[in-house]
Amino acid sequence: MTLKPLSPTFRRGAIALLSALSTAAWEAQAQPSEPRATAADSADSEDEALELPVLPFLDLGLFPNTQHFTPRPDHAVFDKTLPGYFKIPSTHFFVKLGVAATTNFMVTSKLLNTPTWFTTSAIPVQGQEFHESSGAQSTATANPSDVSVEFRGHTELGPMRLLFNTSFAQPHASFGFHPNYAYAQLGGFVAGFTDSTFANVDAYPKTLDFEGPNALVFMKHAVLRYGHPLNHDKDLKMFLQVALEQPGSNVPTTSGRAPRDIVPDGVVAWRAEGPWGHVQLAGLVRAVSSQATDRNSSDTVLGVGGNLAGAYHLGHKHTLQLGITGGQGIAAYVNDTGGSQYDAAPDASGSLDALPLLGGYAGFTYAWTEMLSSTATYGWLKVWDRDNEDALGATGFRRSQYASLNLVAHLIKGAQAGLEGLWGYNRAINGRSGQAFRVQFTFQYRY
């Protein structure tokens, strides 16, 4: 593939954009000091200072970086100095431009259907292609790199945050837009594309692998959410969040049937956090439906589930992350089964069943020194779908395990490098299984 040189018009436009941003940043940093303010001016100064609450629990600054982007009910931040933000001239708003360059080198014991993501449900089982292949597969990709732009400020309705973040992560070593966040937050309201309220980003184990453990609740889609503080205790903050979220029935499309979405998914979450860590309990209710393409008939089943997840800090260096989720008709929200067909499936009689699911994971981050840390992770997940083999196929997903161990070095501020070993196990409905190993090296620099 031959790269074409940039056109003169594109170069001039890029130079003009960089010049404008540099000028704005210089003006923001070079504002002259003002004399002692009056009462009205003091209010403006407080507005310009963007005084926001600080998160009471530790952030070890490790992967994944989603902790810094996810919306929080009280607009809390990890660093109240808001490094990297600059004031937009003649306004009361601040902006931050961010970019991260990430490169992964991976060697896997066999070929996976998702070569750049270690998805355990994609490990071939006995009888499938590449199961017997013992040849190692090497892959290198930079597609987890991301760019972001963020606005913060104060309005008459409370703090404001507007964020857009996209990476280029794909399950294959190719580049394409992978939207992560595009939302507006005003006071306690959040609207846009962001993490599901059913998920708990702060309880994600610090893996180098982009996918993470199999039982992790991971979903980003359209969300309309309201969060409200339940108390005003500095040592123990509690919040209640309610949300309507984008539906998406994941059902088999065989036998002339197609997914059908009737109403938005509903989520309620309670959260408590303090210097010791945090815990979140979320409940999900949804309607999972399918309809026949050749006649006027449809089936609908109830999807309901719960997710209990949190993190506990052992001193100021070590953190334990735990999560357990279960229910029926909720597979779309779980890592190993998301985007597949395991929300519901017809049984032998043709009746649609909401498939039961149960999974959990544990991660432990240990800081050896200020520069070095390690995270060990284990996950287990099972779907009860043996009665639905005709619709899902004999090699449909049944159960999986995930394990990883890494060593991460914080080279300088913003730069990290790490080495991780991974193991995965996949078991199909017919009882056949397969396993795979991976070694991954990751380097990232974030500004």
Side-chain angles (χ1 to χ4, degrees):
M1 177 176 171
T2 303
L3 295 178
K4 298 181 179 180
L6 297 177
S7 67
T9 302
F10 185 89
R11 289 200 300 269
R12 287 194 294 270
I15 293 172
L17 177 60
L18 291 174
S19 176
L21 291 175
S22 299
T23 301
W26 175 261
E27 291 179 356
Q29 296 176 7
Q31 295 294 327
S33 58
E34 298 180 357
R36 186 176 298 275
T38 63
D41 292 335
S42 297
D44 291 340
S45 298
E46 290 179 2
D47 179 77
E48 292 186 2
L50 272 183
E51 290 292 337
L52 298 172
V54 179
L55 287 166
F57 51 90
L58 293 175
D59 168 51
L60 298 180
L62 303 176
F63 304 96
N65 303 116
T66 50
Q67 278 187 291
H68 296 276
F69 298 128
T70 191
R72 303 183 181 280
D74 58 351
H75 293 255
V77 294
F78 287 109
D79 187 345
K80 66 184 303 180
T81 65
L82 294 179
Y85 290 81
F86 60 87
K87 184 176 180 293
I88 302 175
S90 304
T91 72
H92 294 292
F93 297 99
F94 293 74
V95 64
K96 179 179 181 180
L97 305 177
V99 61
T102 305
T103 302
N104 292 330
F105 292 90
M106 295 156 282
V107 179
T108 311
S109 61
K110 61 184 61 176
L111 183 63
L112 305 184
N113 293 328
T114 55
T116 63
W117 299 354
F118 196 71
T119 308
T120 49
S121 60
I123 297 173
V125 301
Q126 294 168 330
Q128 290 184 318
E129 293 182 345
F130 306 113
H131 174 267
E132 303 299 335
S133 174
S134 58
Q137 302 290 325
S138 296
T139 306
T141 182
N143 63 26
S145 304
D146 67 271
V147 294
S148 63
V149 57
E150 179 181 2
F151 296 86
R152 283 187 181 267
H154 284 297
T155 70
E156 295 179 354
L157 298 179
M160 179 278 294
R161 187 185 192 189
L162 185 65
L163 175 68
F164 172 79
N165 173 269
T166 185
S167 69
F168 309 94
Q170 305 292 326
H172 301 271
S174 59
F175 268 72
F177 282 104
H178 183 93
N180 292 323
Y181 296 95
Y183 68 83
Q185 185 176 12
L186 185 60
F189 288 95
V190 176
F193 188 88
T194 183
D195 299 293
S196 170
T197 315
F198 192 56
N200 184 355
V201 169
D202 296 314
Y204 288 0
K206 310 299 183 179
T207 63
L208 302 182
D209 168 43
F210 183 86
E211 180 79 359
N214 51 351
L216 198 73
V217 173
F218 180 91
M219 171 64 80
K220 297 179 189 289
H221 55 193
V223 172
L224 178 60
R225 176 164 70 221
Y226 175 71
H228 187 77
L230 298 178
N231 68 349
H232 299 283
D233 189 336
K234 294 183 179 180
D235 295 327
L236 179 61
K237 297 182 178 181
M238 290 190 291
F239 303 92
L240 182 67
Q241 299 182 89
V242 294
L244 293 177
E245 304 192 359
Q246 177 182 342
S249 298
N250 289 340
V251 298
T253 56
T254 57
S255 304
R257 305 191 70 84
R260 180 188 181 194
D261 297 323
I262 301 176
V263 294
D265 296 351
V267 184
V268 177
W270 169 85
R271 180 184 179 94
E273 57 188 40
W276 47 270
H278 78 283
V279 62
Q280 178 173 303
L281 176 62
L284 168 68
V285 178
R286 60 198 306 250
V288 181
S289 302
S290 69
Q291 61 183 13
T293 57
D294 59 349
R295 63 184 187 275
N296 186 22
S297 66
S298 63
D299 291 321
T300 302
V301 293
L302 177 67
V304 58
N307 180 35
L308 177 63
Y312 182 71
H313 301 301
L314 305 172
H316 293 280
K317 295 182 179 181
H318 321 308
T319 303
L320 177 66
Q321 303 103 5
L322 295 170
I324 182 170
T325 186
Q328 63 175 27
I330 64 169
Y333 285 79
V334 181
N335 244 1
D336 241 14
T337 52
S340 299
Q341 52 191 6
Y342 299 102
D343 283 342
D347 58 18
S349 66
S351 177
L352 190 67
D353 290 339
L355 301 180
L357 173 150
L358 179 65
Y361 68 86
F364 182 65
T365 300
Y366 189 91
W368 303 99
T369 66
E370 291 185 0
M371 181 179 177
L372 294 175
S373 62
S374 293
T375 298
T377 305
Y378 173 78
W380 177 89
L381 179 68
K382 182 176 180 179
V383 177
W384 281 264
D385 54 1
R386 186 164 294 164
D387 295 336
N388 311 92
E389 181 176 342
D390 291 343
L392 299 174
T395 57
F397 176 81
R398 174 72 172 174
R399 177 164 56 89
S400 67
Q401 296 182 70
Y402 172 103
S404 68
L405 177 64
N406 62 40
L407 178 65
V408 178
H410 310 272
L411 306 176
I412 59 174
K413 184 178 181 180
Q416 300 179 81
L419 186 67
E420 184 169 70
L422 301 113
W423 168 80
Y425 172 85
N426 182 29
R427 188 176 182 88
I429 295 176
N430 60 10
R432 296 184 176 182
S433 62
Q435 59 181 326
F437 301 88
R438 170 174 290 180
V439 176
Q440 174 173 328
F441 172 79
T442 298
F443 174 83
Q444 181 185 87
Y445 180 76
R446 176 172 295 279
Y447 171 78

